[in-house]
Amino acid sequence: MENTISFIPARPNWPENGEGEAIMTEHELVVLALNMRERAYAPYSGFRVGAALLCGDGTVYTGCNLESASYPCGLCAERVAAAKALSEGRRDFGVLAVAGSAKELCTPCGLCRQFLFEFTPQLRILCANDVGMWKAYDLHALLAEGFGGASLSMGTE
Ligand code: THU
């Protein structure tokens, strides 16, 4: 399992300071996600999740899971972070970190994968466990052959 604390070199999608250096490390983004678990409202599952979404301009939008007595109304941390970014006009998702409360890595649920796929099919997602061990995935691998806008285009008959 990957658990790197080293400085991550700038990559295509990763905001830079103009001198080619990444403005934060992936580890720092994971720490933000870990800390956001404190804000979770999860009285029903007891499973706290935090998320941190770094956008192209360097802004980080955070989220946590928010549950409801009417269970299906609950929101996952990833979609809360994404909705905050989207509603502030961001569409350029760079990297998303998500941290859960179990020894297993917290990978996004199917609903979140589909929601994120709409905006950034290639999104890099850092999935962390309760002690901050994490592993990076690409969304298109987590949602293989995903259904997107292009899938709606009509064929000619
Ligand atoms: N949850 C998330 O917020 N993100 C995930 O990636 C997995 C699941 C939440 C939903 C629910 O509030 C709780 O975790 C248990 O499923």
Side-chain angles (χ1 to χ4, degrees), residues 6-75:
S6 60
F7 191 84
I8 307 296
R11 65 181 84 248
N13 269 347
W14 192 260
E16 297 177 11
N17 63 2
E19 295 168 7
E21 287 186 20
I23 58 168
M24 68 189 306
T25 66
E26 292 190 328
H27 175 74
E28 287 168 339
L29 196 66
V30 168
V31 169
L32 289 177
L34 285 162
N35 290 341
M36 277 305 291
R37 295 176 305 171
E38 283 177 24
R39 303 242 175 104
Y41 177 72
Y44 303 105
S45 72
F47 190 75
R48 292 171 168 270
V49 185
L53 176 61
L54 178 63
C55 293
D57 67 342
T59 309
V60 176
Y61 294 88
T62 55
C64 57
N65 57 330
L66 304 169
E67 297 184 349
S68 167
S70 178
Y71 294 178
C73 295
L75 294 169

Side-chain angles (χ1 to χ4, degrees), residues 1 20 24 35 53 57 65 99 102 104 129-130 143 149 154 157:
M1 189 182 295
M24 68 189 306
N35 290 341
L53 176 61
D57 67 342
N65 57 330
E104 303 305 316
N129 71 1
D130 58 343
L143 190 69
M154 301 292 184
E157 290 185 18

Side-chain angles (χ1 to χ4, degrees), residues 72-85:
C73 295
L75 294 169
C76 290
E78 299 93 314
R79 270 176 295 140
V80 170
K84 285 166 70 175

